[in-house]
Amino acid sequence: AQSVTQPDIHITVSEGASLELRCNYSYGATPYLFWYVQSPGQGLQLLLKYFSGDTLVQGIKGFEAEFKRSQSSFNLRKPSVHWSDAAEYFCAVAPRGNEKLTFGTGTRLTIIP
Amino acid sequence: KAGVTQTPRYLIKTRGQQVTLSCSPISGHRSVSWYQQTPGQGLQFLFEYFSETQRNKGNFPGRFSGRQFSNSRSEMNVSTLELGDSALYLCASSSGGTLNNEQFFGPGTRLTVL
């Protein structure tokens, strides 16, 4: 069965510092990969996705993610965080051609001034 | 384009009751998926409907059911509510073609079971 691991439950970074959120997946074949963000009381917003091709994916709000097949990882990065980036971040996978998303447990991001 | 809407936003029920949640997808989207979000279990897939047919199903008991109408609106029903059913229920819509499509999420319905 496919699974997604986000090893960091909570991360605190200073405003303006760089950010990397980790995501590892377990799946027989390369799935579709996603990062979503959830602000308190809100639904999920897609930050970026990887289907195929270039392994460095650019998303919204200045985020990027790199797919590394050898490490089964899809880590999310941002060079300089803003206070408005404080939220919960979810990595997700889906089998190719299937709408069913499997989510990681999420990483809560706190930004300090 | 209007986003995914879910009604009601908040709901309080007691154990043993049943509840129906509604989801209106983005215009033109034919796939609607439902997810349950709890602090303990995280985000879990319930089911997906495409063109009025259940296309995918997660590992939830039969008390959880759904349907989709010809206008792609979807409802989710939970019968014989249990305390553990307290959760944020999210629905997501996509165009639902053969290639995986971006899913757009609604704000969710917060269900509290007392």
Side-chain angles (χ1 to χ4, degrees), chain A residues 32 34 36 38 41 43-44 46 49 51 90 94-95 97-101 103, chain B residues 9 31 35 37 43 45 48 55-56 88 94 96 98 100 102-103 105-107:
Chain A
Y32 293 144
F34 306 83
Y36 284 88
Q38 185 178 36
L44 298 168
L46 180 69
K49 60 193 176 191
F51 287 178
F90 293 92
N98 191 307
E99 304 289 317
K100 177 183 175 181
L101 290 167
F103 286 89
Chain B
R9 290 293 311 276
S31 168
Y35 293 84
Q37 185 176 24
L43 279 153
F45 174 80
E48 181 224 353
R55 190 162 69 169
N56 282 300
L88 180 66
S94 76
T98 53
N100 198 292
E102 176 179 349
Q103 293 188 41
F105 282 80

PDB file of all heavy atoms in Angstrom, chain A residues 32 34 36 38 41 43-44 46 49 51 90 94-95 97-101 103, chain B residues 9 31 35 37 43 45 48 55-56 88 94 96 98 100 102-103 105-107:
ATOM      1  N   TYR A  32       1.905  10.356  -8.897  1.00  0.00           N
ATOM      2  CA  TYR A  32       1.807  11.812  -8.980  1.00  0.00           C
ATOM      3  C   TYR A  32       2.052  12.352  -7.565  1.00  0.00           C
ATOM      4  O   TYR A  32       1.599  11.761  -6.581  1.00  0.00           O
ATOM      5  CB  TYR A  32       0.430  12.244  -9.470  1.00  0.00           C
ATOM      6  CG  TYR A  32       0.138  11.868 -10.901  1.00  0.00           C
ATOM      7  CD1 TYR A  32      -1.142  11.496 -11.287  1.00  0.00           C
ATOM      8  CD2 TYR A  32       1.128  11.900 -11.881  1.00  0.00           C
ATOM      9  CE1 TYR A  32      -1.435  11.169 -12.600  1.00  0.00           C
ATOM     10  CE2 TYR A  32       0.849  11.558 -13.189  1.00  0.00           C
ATOM     11  CZ  TYR A  32      -0.435  11.192 -13.536  1.00  0.00           C
ATOM     12  OH  TYR A  32      -0.709  10.856 -14.836  1.00  0.00           O
ATOM     13  N   PHE A  34       2.199  15.791  -4.837  1.00  0.00           N
ATOM     14  CA  PHE A  34       1.588  17.101  -4.602  1.00  0.00           C
ATOM     15  C   PHE A  34       2.036  17.659  -3.266  1.00  0.00           C
ATOM     16  O   PHE A  34       2.339  16.925  -2.329  1.00  0.00           O
ATOM     17  CB  PHE A  34       0.050  16.993  -4.555  1.00  0.00           C
ATOM     18  CG  PHE A  34      -0.576  16.327  -5.744  1.00  0.00           C
ATOM     19  CD1 PHE A  34      -0.648  14.944  -5.818  1.00  0.00           C
ATOM     20  CD2 PHE A  34      -1.105  17.074  -6.779  1.00  0.00           C
ATOM     21  CE1 PHE A  34      -1.233  14.313  -6.908  1.00  0.00           C
ATOM     22  CE2 PHE A  34      -1.701  16.461  -7.876  1.00  0.00           C
ATOM     23  CZ  PHE A  34      -1.763  15.076  -7.930  1.00  0.00           C
ATOM     24  N   TYR A  36       0.217  20.496  -0.633  1.00  0.00           N
ATOM     25  CA  TYR A  36      -0.924  21.357  -0.335  1.00  0.00           C
ATOM     26  C   TYR A  36      -0.626  22.154   0.933  1.00  0.00           C
ATOM     27  O   TYR A  36       0.119  21.714   1.800  1.00  0.00           O
ATOM     28  CB  TYR A  36      -2.187  20.519  -0.087  1.00  0.00           C
ATOM     29  CG  TYR A  36      -2.837  19.955  -1.324  1.00  0.00           C
ATOM     30  CD1 TYR A  36      -2.446  18.724  -1.837  1.00  0.00           C
ATOM     31  CD2 TYR A  36      -3.861  20.644  -1.975  1.00  0.00           C
ATOM     32  CE1 TYR A  36      -3.054  18.190  -2.964  1.00  0.00           C
ATOM     33  CE2 TYR A  36      -4.475  20.119  -3.103  1.00  0.00           C
ATOM     34  CZ  TYR A  36      -4.069  18.898  -3.583  1.00  0.00           C
ATOM     35  OH  TYR A  36      -4.674  18.378  -4.698  1.00  0.00           O
ATOM     36  N   GLN A  38      -2.667  24.332   4.128  1.00  0.00           N
ATOM     37  CA  GLN A  38      -3.952  24.550   4.784  1.00  0.00           C
ATOM     38  C   GLN A  38      -3.787  25.603   5.882  1.00  0.00           C
ATOM     39  O   GLN A  38      -3.049  25.383   6.836  1.00  0.00           O
ATOM     40  CB  GLN A  38      -4.493  23.253   5.378  1.00  0.00           C
ATOM     41  CG  GLN A  38      -5.894  23.372   5.972  1.00  0.00           C
ATOM     42  CD  GLN A  38      -6.415  22.050   6.499  1.00  0.00           C
ATOM     43  OE1 GLN A  38      -5.660  21.243   7.043  1.00  0.00           O
ATOM     44  NE2 GLN A  38      -7.714  21.801   6.340  1.00  0.00           N
ATOM     45  N   GLY A  41      -8.802  26.755   9.672  1.00  0.00           N
ATOM     46  CA  GLY A  41     -10.197  26.893   9.297  1.00  0.00           C
ATOM     47  C   GLY A  41     -10.468  26.904   7.813  1.00  0.00           C
ATOM     48  O   GLY A  41     -11.597  27.179   7.388  1.00  0.00           O
ATOM     49  N   GLY A  43      -9.840  25.183   3.690  1.00  0.00           N
ATOM     50  CA  GLY A  43      -9.596  23.961   2.942  1.00  0.00           C
ATOM     51  C   GLY A  43      -8.148  23.907   2.495  1.00  0.00           C
ATOM     52  O   GLY A  43      -7.295  24.658   2.971  1.00  0.00           O
ATOM     53  N   LEU A  44      -7.852  23.027   1.581  1.00  0.00           N
ATOM     54  CA  LEU A  44      -6.493  22.825   1.101  1.00  0.00           C
ATOM     55  C   LEU A  44      -6.281  23.566  -0.211  1.00  0.00           C
ATOM     56  O   LEU A  44      -7.143  23.559  -1.084  1.00  0.00           O
ATOM     57  CB  LEU A  44      -6.238  21.330   0.872  1.00  0.00           C
ATOM     58  CG  LEU A  44      -6.350  20.437   2.102  1.00  0.00           C
ATOM     59  CD1 LEU A  44      -6.380  18.975   1.699  1.00  0.00           C
ATOM     60  CD2 LEU A  44      -5.181  20.691   3.033  1.00  0.00           C
ATOM     61  N   LEU A  46      -3.569  23.870  -3.435  1.00  0.00           N
ATOM     62  CA  LEU A  46      -2.443  23.223  -4.092  1.00  0.00           C
ATOM     63  C   LEU A  46      -1.306  24.205  -4.292  1.00  0.00           C
ATOM     64  O   LEU A  46      -1.493  25.274  -4.869  1.00  0.00           O
ATOM     65  CB  LEU A  46      -2.880  22.651  -5.441  1.00  0.00           C
ATOM     66  CG  LEU A  46      -1.798  21.932  -6.238  1.00  0.00           C
ATOM     67  CD1 LEU A  46      -1.412  20.624  -5.540  1.00  0.00           C
ATOM     68  CD2 LEU A  46      -2.267  21.636  -7.660  1.00  0.00           C
ATOM     69  N   LYS A  49       2.737  20.510  -8.076  1.00  0.00           N
ATOM     70  CA  LYS A  49       2.530  19.100  -8.371  1.00  0.00           C
ATOM     71  C   LYS A  49       3.635  18.616  -9.301  1.00  0.00           C
ATOM     72  O   LYS A  49       4.223  19.387 -10.068  1.00  0.00           O
ATOM     73  CB  LYS A  49       1.160  18.897  -9.025  1.00  0.00           C
ATOM     74  CG  LYS A  49       0.996  19.662 -10.338  1.00  0.00           C
ATOM     75  CD  LYS A  49      -0.448  19.687 -10.794  1.00  0.00           C
ATOM     76  CE  LYS A  49      -0.569  20.545 -12.069  1.00  0.00           C
ATOM     77  NZ  LYS A  49      -1.969  20.825 -12.431  1.00  0.00           N
ATOM     78  N   PHE A  51       4.151  15.556 -12.129  1.00  0.00           N
ATOM     79  CA  PHE A  51       3.624  14.436 -12.894  1.00  0.00           C
ATOM     80  C   PHE A  51       4.750  13.708 -13.623  1.00  0.00           C
ATOM     81  O   PHE A  51       4.834  12.481 -13.597  1.00  0.00           O
ATOM     82  CB  PHE A  51       2.565  14.917 -13.892  1.00  0.00           C
ATOM     83  CG  PHE A  51       1.244  15.311 -13.256  1.00  0.00           C
ATOM     84  CD1 PHE A  51       0.209  15.814 -14.034  1.00  0.00           C
ATOM     85  CD2 PHE A  51       1.027  15.186 -11.893  1.00  0.00           C
ATOM     86  CE1 PHE A  51      -1.013  16.177 -13.460  1.00  0.00           C
ATOM     87  CE2 PHE A  51      -0.172  15.551 -11.312  1.00  0.00           C
ATOM     88  CZ  PHE A  51      -1.195  16.046 -12.108  1.00  0.00           C
ATOM     89  N   PHE A  90       0.896  19.803   3.650  1.00  0.00           N
ATOM     90  CA  PHE A  90       0.662  18.379   3.438  1.00  0.00           C
ATOM     91  C   PHE A  90       1.266  17.936   2.111  1.00  0.00           C
ATOM     92  O   PHE A  90       1.030  18.547   1.072  1.00  0.00           O
ATOM     93  CB  PHE A  90      -0.837  18.070   3.414  1.00  0.00           C
ATOM     94  CG  PHE A  90      -1.535  18.272   4.717  1.00  0.00           C
ATOM     95  CD1 PHE A  90      -2.126  19.485   5.015  1.00  0.00           C
ATOM     96  CD2 PHE A  90      -1.597  17.242   5.647  1.00  0.00           C
ATOM     97  CE1 PHE A  90      -2.776  19.677   6.225  1.00  0.00           C
ATOM     98  CE2 PHE A  90      -2.245  17.427   6.862  1.00  0.00           C
ATOM     99  CZ  PHE A  90      -2.830  18.652   7.147  1.00  0.00           C
ATOM    100  N   ALA A  94      -0.760  10.277  -5.462  1.00  0.00           N
ATOM    101  CA  ALA A  94      -1.899   9.617  -6.084  1.00  0.00           C
ATOM    102  C   ALA A  94      -1.375   8.700  -7.174  1.00  0.00           C
ATOM    103  O   ALA A  94      -0.420   9.049  -7.880  1.00  0.00           O
ATOM    104  CB  ALA A  94      -2.871  10.632  -6.671  1.00  0.00           C
ATOM    105  N   PRO A  95      -1.987   7.526  -7.327  1.00  0.00           N
ATOM    106  CA  PRO A  95      -1.579   6.662  -8.436  1.00  0.00           C
ATOM    107  C   PRO A  95      -1.852   7.372  -9.757  1.00  0.00           C
ATOM    108  O   PRO A  95      -2.787   8.170  -9.857  1.00  0.00           O
ATOM    109  CB  PRO A  95      -2.487   5.437  -8.281  1.00  0.00           C
ATOM    110  CG  PRO A  95      -3.052   5.526  -6.915  1.00  0.00           C
ATOM    111  CD  PRO A  95      -3.092   6.972  -6.566  1.00  0.00           C
ATOM    112  N   GLY A  97      -3.359   8.340 -13.020  1.00  0.00           N
ATOM    113  CA  GLY A  97      -4.686   8.130 -13.577  1.00  0.00           C
ATOM    114  C   GLY A  97      -5.760   7.900 -12.537  1.00  0.00           C
ATOM    115  O   GLY A  97      -6.842   7.419 -12.848  1.00  0.00           O
ATOM    116  N   ASN A  98      -5.494   8.267 -11.290  1.00  0.00           N
ATOM    117  CA  ASN A  98      -6.452   8.021 -10.213  1.00  0.00           C
ATOM    118  C   ASN A  98      -6.578   9.278  -9.362  1.00  0.00           C
ATOM    119  O   ASN A  98      -5.591   9.958  -9.099  1.00  0.00           O
ATOM    120  CB  ASN A  98      -5.938   6.849  -9.362  1.00  0.00           C
ATOM    121  CG  ASN A  98      -6.961   6.340  -8.388  1.00  0.00           C
ATOM    122  OD1 ASN A  98      -7.522   7.104  -7.603  1.00  0.00           O
ATOM    123  ND2 ASN A  98      -7.207   5.047  -8.413  1.00  0.00           N
ATOM    124  N   GLU A  99      -7.804   9.595  -8.948  1.00  0.00           N
ATOM    125  CA  GLU A  99      -8.029  10.809  -8.171  1.00  0.00           C
ATOM    126  C   GLU A  99      -7.738  10.632  -6.679  1.00  0.00           C
ATOM    127  O   GLU A  99      -7.712  11.587  -5.938  1.00  0.00           O
ATOM    128  CB  GLU A  99      -9.484  11.268  -8.326  1.00  0.00           C
ATOM    129  CG  GLU A  99      -9.941  11.503  -9.743  1.00  0.00           C
ATOM    130  CD  GLU A  99      -9.321  12.742 -10.355  1.00  0.00           C
ATOM    131  OE1 GLU A  99      -9.243  13.766  -9.667  1.00  0.00           O
ATOM    132  OE2 GLU A  99      -8.910  12.679 -11.529  1.00  0.00           O
ATOM    133  N   LYS A 100      -7.542   9.406  -6.217  1.00  0.00           N
ATOM    134  CA  LYS A 100      -7.439   9.151  -4.784  1.00  0.00           C
ATOM    135  C   LYS A 100      -6.098   9.638  -4.244  1.00  0.00           C
ATOM    136  O   LYS A 100      -5.048   9.085  -4.560  1.00  0.00           O
ATOM    137  CB  LYS A 100      -7.593   7.664  -4.511  1.00  0.00           C
ATOM    138  CG  LYS A 100      -7.434   7.277  -3.048  1.00  0.00           C
ATOM    139  CD  LYS A 100      -7.538   5.766  -2.872  1.00  0.00           C
ATOM    140  CE  LYS A 100      -7.254   5.392  -1.424  1.00  0.00           C
ATOM    141  NZ  LYS A 100      -7.319   3.935  -1.216  1.00  0.00           N
ATOM    142  N   LEU A 101      -6.154  10.657  -3.400  1.00  0.00           N
ATOM    143  CA  LEU A 101      -4.952  11.199  -2.778  1.00  0.00           C
ATOM    144  C   LEU A 101      -4.688  10.521  -1.445  1.00  0.00           C
ATOM    145  O   LEU A 101      -5.594  10.346  -0.637  1.00  0.00           O
ATOM    146  CB  LEU A 101      -5.115  12.701  -2.546  1.00  0.00           C
ATOM    147  CG  LEU A 101      -5.114  13.615  -3.774  1.00  0.00           C
ATOM    148  CD1 LEU A 101      -5.604  15.000  -3.406  1.00  0.00           C
ATOM    149  CD2 LEU A 101      -3.713  13.692  -4.366  1.00  0.00           C
ATOM    150  N   PHE A 103      -2.451  11.282   1.836  1.00  0.00           N
ATOM    151  CA  PHE A 103      -1.765  12.412   2.438  1.00  0.00           C
ATOM    152  C   PHE A 103      -0.792  11.975   3.521  1.00  0.00           C
ATOM    153  O   PHE A 103      -0.995  10.969   4.211  1.00  0.00           O
ATOM    154  CB  PHE A 103      -2.774  13.369   3.082  1.00  0.00           C
ATOM    155  CG  PHE A 103      -3.567  14.188   2.103  1.00  0.00           C
ATOM    156  CD1 PHE A 103      -4.761  13.715   1.593  1.00  0.00           C
ATOM    157  CD2 PHE A 103      -3.114  15.434   1.702  1.00  0.00           C
ATOM    158  CE1 PHE A 103      -5.502  14.469   0.700  1.00  0.00           C
ATOM    159  CE2 PHE A 103      -3.841  16.198   0.805  1.00  0.00           C
ATOM    160  CZ  PHE A 103      -5.039  15.712   0.300  1.00  0.00           C
TER     161      PHE A 103
ATOM    162  N   ARG B   9     -21.457  24.709   6.866  1.00  0.00           N
ATOM    163  CA  ARG B   9     -20.060  24.835   7.284  1.00  0.00           C
ATOM    164  C   ARG B   9     -19.833  24.204   8.648  1.00  0.00           C
ATOM    165  O   ARG B   9     -18.769  23.686   8.923  1.00  0.00           O
ATOM    166  CB  ARG B   9     -19.655  26.303   7.327  1.00  0.00           C
ATOM    167  CG  ARG B   9     -19.549  26.970   5.964  1.00  0.00           C
ATOM    168  CD  ARG B   9     -18.383  26.407   5.124  1.00  0.00           C
ATOM    169  NE  ARG B   9     -17.134  26.353   5.860  1.00  0.00           N
ATOM    170  CZ  ARG B   9     -16.301  27.373   5.995  1.00  0.00           C
ATOM    171  NH1 ARG B   9     -16.595  28.545   5.456  1.00  0.00           N
ATOM    172  NH2 ARG B   9     -15.183  27.233   6.673  1.00  0.00           N
ATOM    173  N   SER B  31     -15.790  15.339 -11.390  1.00  0.00           N
ATOM    174  CA  SER B  31     -15.338  14.444 -10.325  1.00  0.00           C
ATOM    175  C   SER B  31     -15.429  15.168  -8.989  1.00  0.00           C
ATOM    176  O   SER B  31     -15.007  16.318  -8.857  1.00  0.00           O
ATOM    177  CB  SER B  31     -13.889  14.011 -10.577  1.00  0.00           C
ATOM    178  OG  SER B  31     -13.356  13.371  -9.430  1.00  0.00           O
ATOM    179  N   TYR B  35     -13.080  13.697   1.682  1.00  0.00           N
ATOM    180  CA  TYR B  35     -12.024  13.345   2.610  1.00  0.00           C
ATOM    181  C   TYR B  35     -12.474  13.676   4.031  1.00  0.00           C
ATOM    182  O   TYR B  35     -13.201  14.638   4.263  1.00  0.00           O
ATOM    183  CB  TYR B  35     -10.731  14.131   2.307  1.00  0.00           C
ATOM    184  CG  TYR B  35     -10.090  13.771   0.996  1.00  0.00           C
ATOM    185  CD1 TYR B  35     -10.524  14.361  -0.196  1.00  0.00           C
ATOM    186  CD2 TYR B  35      -9.058  12.840   0.937  1.00  0.00           C
ATOM    187  CE1 TYR B  35      -9.940  14.028  -1.409  1.00  0.00           C
ATOM    188  CE2 TYR B  35      -8.474  12.507  -0.276  1.00  0.00           C
ATOM    189  CZ  TYR B  35      -8.928  13.105  -1.434  1.00  0.00           C
ATOM    190  OH  TYR B  35      -8.355  12.760  -2.634  1.00  0.00           O
ATOM    191  N   GLN B  37     -10.940  14.645   7.766  1.00  0.00           N
ATOM    192  CA  GLN B  37      -9.724  15.117   8.444  1.00  0.00           C
ATOM    193  C   GLN B  37      -9.954  15.148   9.942  1.00  0.00           C
ATOM    194  O   GLN B  37     -10.842  15.839  10.448  1.00  0.00           O
ATOM    195  CB  GLN B  37      -9.322  16.515   7.946  1.00  0.00           C
ATOM    196  CG  GLN B  37      -7.993  16.994   8.527  1.00  0.00           C
ATOM    197  CD  GLN B  37      -7.538  18.323   7.963  1.00  0.00           C
ATOM    198  OE1 GLN B  37      -8.335  19.132   7.490  1.00  0.00           O
ATOM    199  NE2 GLN B  37      -6.242  18.570   7.989  1.00  0.00           N
ATOM    200  N   LEU B  43      -5.751  13.203   7.157  1.00  0.00           N
ATOM    201  CA  LEU B  43      -6.637  13.291   5.997  1.00  0.00           C
ATOM    202  C   LEU B  43      -6.787  11.917   5.382  1.00  0.00           C
ATOM    203  O   LEU B  43      -5.814  11.305   4.952  1.00  0.00           O
ATOM    204  CB  LEU B  43      -6.040  14.247   4.955  1.00  0.00           C
ATOM    205  CG  LEU B  43      -6.249  15.719   5.197  1.00  0.00           C
ATOM    206  CD1 LEU B  43      -5.137  16.536   4.564  1.00  0.00           C
ATOM    207  CD2 LEU B  43      -7.599  16.155   4.636  1.00  0.00           C
ATOM    208  N   PHE B  45      -9.079   9.493   2.596  1.00  0.00           N
ATOM    209  CA  PHE B  45      -9.968   9.464   1.440  1.00  0.00           C
ATOM    210  C   PHE B  45     -11.207   8.620   1.743  1.00  0.00           C
ATOM    211  O   PHE B  45     -11.093   7.477   2.224  1.00  0.00           O
ATOM    212  CB  PHE B  45      -9.198   8.874   0.262  1.00  0.00           C
ATOM    213  CG  PHE B  45     -10.017   8.638  -0.974  1.00  0.00           C
ATOM    214  CD1 PHE B  45     -10.326   9.675  -1.833  1.00  0.00           C
ATOM    215  CD2 PHE B  45     -10.451   7.354  -1.289  1.00  0.00           C
ATOM    216  CE1 PHE B  45     -11.062   9.447  -2.985  1.00  0.00           C
ATOM    217  CE2 PHE B  45     -11.182   7.122  -2.427  1.00  0.00           C
ATOM    218  CZ  PHE B  45     -11.496   8.161  -3.286  1.00  0.00           C
ATOM    219  N   GLU B  48     -14.842   8.767  -4.227  1.00  0.00           N
ATOM    220  CA  GLU B  48     -14.869   9.684  -5.357  1.00  0.00           C
ATOM    221  C   GLU B  48     -16.015   9.321  -6.278  1.00  0.00           C
ATOM    222  O   GLU B  48     -16.258   8.133  -6.532  1.00  0.00           O
ATOM    223  CB  GLU B  48     -13.561   9.632  -6.151  1.00  0.00           C
ATOM    224  CG  GLU B  48     -13.521  10.602  -7.343  1.00  0.00           C
ATOM    225  CD  GLU B  48     -12.964  10.009  -8.614  1.00  0.00           C
ATOM    226  OE1 GLU B  48     -12.464   8.870  -8.594  1.00  0.00           O
ATOM    227  OE2 GLU B  48     -13.041  10.699  -9.660  1.00  0.00           O
ATOM    228  N   ARG B  55     -16.384   5.926  -8.298  1.00  0.00           N
ATOM    229  CA  ARG B  55     -15.245   5.435  -9.065  1.00  0.00           C
ATOM    230  C   ARG B  55     -14.129   4.916  -8.164  1.00  0.00           C
ATOM    231  O   ARG B  55     -13.349   4.057  -8.557  1.00  0.00           O
ATOM    232  CB  ARG B  55     -14.731   6.550  -9.979  1.00  0.00           C
ATOM    233  CG  ARG B  55     -13.707   6.117 -11.006  1.00  0.00           C
ATOM    234  CD  ARG B  55     -13.553   7.106 -12.130  1.00  0.00           C
ATOM    235  NE  ARG B  55     -12.942   8.362 -11.720  1.00  0.00           N
ATOM    236  CZ  ARG B  55     -12.518   9.288 -12.582  1.00  0.00           C
ATOM    237  NH1 ARG B  55     -12.609   9.077 -13.888  1.00  0.00           N
ATOM    238  NH2 ARG B  55     -12.002  10.421 -12.153  1.00  0.00           N
ATOM    239  N   ASN B  56     -14.005   5.484  -6.981  1.00  0.00           N
ATOM    240  CA  ASN B  56     -12.993   5.048  -6.020  1.00  0.00           C
ATOM    241  C   ASN B  56     -13.606   5.036  -4.633  1.00  0.00           C
ATOM    242  O   ASN B  56     -14.514   5.834  -4.342  1.00  0.00           O
ATOM    243  CB  ASN B  56     -11.790   6.007  -6.001  1.00  0.00           C
ATOM    244  CG  ASN B  56     -10.857   5.790  -7.167  1.00  0.00           C
ATOM    245  OD1 ASN B  56     -10.312   4.710  -7.337  1.00  0.00           O
ATOM    246  ND2 ASN B  56     -10.674   6.823  -7.969  1.00  0.00           N
ATOM    247  N   LEU B  88     -13.467  17.272  10.279  1.00  0.00           N
ATOM    248  CA  LEU B  88     -13.675  18.215   9.183  1.00  0.00           C
ATOM    249  C   LEU B  88     -13.812  17.376   7.913  1.00  0.00           C
ATOM    250  O   LEU B  88     -12.932  16.572   7.601  1.00  0.00           O
ATOM    251  CB  LEU B  88     -12.491  19.164   9.063  1.00  0.00           C
ATOM    252  CG  LEU B  88     -12.566  20.223   7.952  1.00  0.00           C
ATOM    253  CD1 LEU B  88     -13.685  21.221   8.233  1.00  0.00           C
ATOM    254  CD2 LEU B  88     -11.234  20.944   7.788  1.00  0.00           C
ATOM    255  N   SER B  94     -12.575  18.023  -9.466  1.00  0.00           N
ATOM    256  CA  SER B  94     -11.639  18.123 -10.573  1.00  0.00           C
ATOM    257  C   SER B  94     -12.384  17.799 -11.856  1.00  0.00           C
ATOM    258  O   SER B  94     -13.520  17.320 -11.819  1.00  0.00           O
ATOM    259  CB  SER B  94     -10.454  17.174 -10.388  1.00  0.00           C
ATOM    260  OG  SER B  94     -10.845  15.846 -10.671  1.00  0.00           O
ATOM    261  N   GLY B  96     -11.635  15.471 -13.773  1.00  0.00           N
ATOM    262  CA  GLY B  96     -11.829  14.026 -13.691  1.00  0.00           C
ATOM    263  C   GLY B  96     -11.523  13.245 -14.942  1.00  0.00           C
ATOM    264  O   GLY B  96     -12.017  12.146 -15.136  1.00  0.00           O
ATOM    265  N   THR B  98      -8.963  11.189 -17.733  1.00  0.00           N
ATOM    266  CA  THR B  98      -8.184   9.972 -17.522  1.00  0.00           C
ATOM    267  C   THR B  98      -6.818  10.272 -16.925  1.00  0.00           C
ATOM    268  O   THR B  98      -6.242   9.433 -16.249  1.00  0.00           O
ATOM    269  CB  THR B  98      -7.992   9.210 -18.844  1.00  0.00           C
ATOM    270  OG1 THR B  98      -7.457  10.107 -19.816  1.00  0.00           O
ATOM    271  CG2 THR B  98      -9.317   8.673 -19.351  1.00  0.00           C
ATOM    272  N   ASN B 100      -4.492  12.297 -14.222  1.00  0.00           N
ATOM    273  CA  ASN B 100      -4.739  12.885 -12.915  1.00  0.00           C
ATOM    274  C   ASN B 100      -4.836  14.399 -13.025  1.00  0.00           C
ATOM    275  O   ASN B 100      -4.045  15.034 -13.679  1.00  0.00           O
ATOM    276  CB  ASN B 100      -3.620  12.497 -11.963  1.00  0.00           C
ATOM    277  CG  ASN B 100      -4.024  12.688 -10.528  1.00  0.00           C
ATOM    278  OD1 ASN B 100      -4.209  13.806 -10.083  1.00  0.00           O
ATOM    279  ND2 ASN B 100      -4.183  11.602  -9.823  1.00  0.00           N
ATOM    280  N   GLU B 102      -5.710  18.309 -11.174  1.00  0.00           N
ATOM    281  CA  GLU B 102      -5.639  19.053  -9.937  1.00  0.00           C
ATOM    282  C   GLU B 102      -6.998  19.048  -9.256  1.00  0.00           C
ATOM    283  O   GLU B 102      -8.022  19.296  -9.894  1.00  0.00           O
ATOM    284  CB  GLU B 102      -5.213  20.492 -10.216  1.00  0.00           C
ATOM    285  CG  GLU B 102      -5.207  21.368  -8.972  1.00  0.00           C
ATOM    286  CD  GLU B 102      -4.772  22.781  -9.261  1.00  0.00           C
ATOM    287  OE1 GLU B 102      -4.287  23.041 -10.372  1.00  0.00           O
ATOM    288  OE2 GLU B 102      -4.929  23.634  -8.365  1.00  0.00           O
ATOM    289  N   GLN B 103      -6.986  18.760  -7.979  1.00  0.00           N
ATOM    290  CA  GLN B 103      -8.208  18.773  -7.205  1.00  0.00           C
ATOM    291  C   GLN B 103      -8.308  20.085  -6.444  1.00  0.00           C
ATOM    292  O   GLN B 103      -7.359  20.506  -5.800  1.00  0.00           O
ATOM    293  CB  GLN B 103      -8.237  17.593  -6.230  1.00  0.00           C
ATOM    294  CG  GLN B 103      -8.325  16.252  -6.942  1.00  0.00           C
ATOM    295  CD  GLN B 103      -8.553  15.098  -6.000  1.00  0.00           C
ATOM    296  OE1 GLN B 103      -9.321  15.192  -5.059  1.00  0.00           O
ATOM    297  NE2 GLN B 103      -7.867  14.008  -6.243  1.00  0.00           N
ATOM    298  N   PHE B 105     -10.144  22.094  -3.456  1.00  0.00           N
ATOM    299  CA  PHE B 105     -10.838  21.758  -2.225  1.00  0.00           C
ATOM    300  C   PHE B 105     -11.779  22.867  -1.778  1.00  0.00           C
ATOM    301  O   PHE B 105     -11.497  24.055  -1.956  1.00  0.00           O
ATOM    302  CB  PHE B 105      -9.833  21.480  -1.105  1.00  0.00           C
ATOM    303  CG  PHE B 105      -9.199  20.126  -1.190  1.00  0.00           C
ATOM    304  CD1 PHE B 105      -8.145  19.884  -2.060  1.00  0.00           C
ATOM    305  CD2 PHE B 105      -9.675  19.082  -0.405  1.00  0.00           C
ATOM    306  CE1 PHE B 105      -7.567  18.631  -2.150  1.00  0.00           C
ATOM    307  CE2 PHE B 105      -9.093  17.820  -0.483  1.00  0.00           C
ATOM    308  CZ  PHE B 105      -8.049  17.599  -1.359  1.00  0.00           C
ATOM    309  N   GLY B 106     -12.880  22.452  -1.169  1.00  0.00           N
ATOM    310  CA  GLY B 106     -13.779  23.384  -0.515  1.00  0.00           C
ATOM    311  C   GLY B 106     -13.301  23.683   0.891  1.00  0.00           C
ATOM    312  O   GLY B 106     -12.314  23.111   1.353  1.00  0.00           O
ATOM    313  N   PRO B 107     -14.005  24.580   1.604  1.00  0.00           N
ATOM    314  CA  PRO B 107     -13.582  24.968   2.944  1.00  0.00           C
ATOM    315  C   PRO B 107     -13.902  23.926   4.012  1.00  0.00           C
ATOM    316  O   PRO B 107     -13.382  24.018   5.124  1.00  0.00           O
ATOM    317  CB  PRO B 107     -14.391  26.242   3.204  1.00  0.00           C
ATOM    318  CG  PRO B 107     -15.613  26.075   2.371  1.00  0.00           C
ATOM    319  CD  PRO B 107     -15.177  25.332   1.144  1.00  0.00           C
TER     320      PRO B 107
END
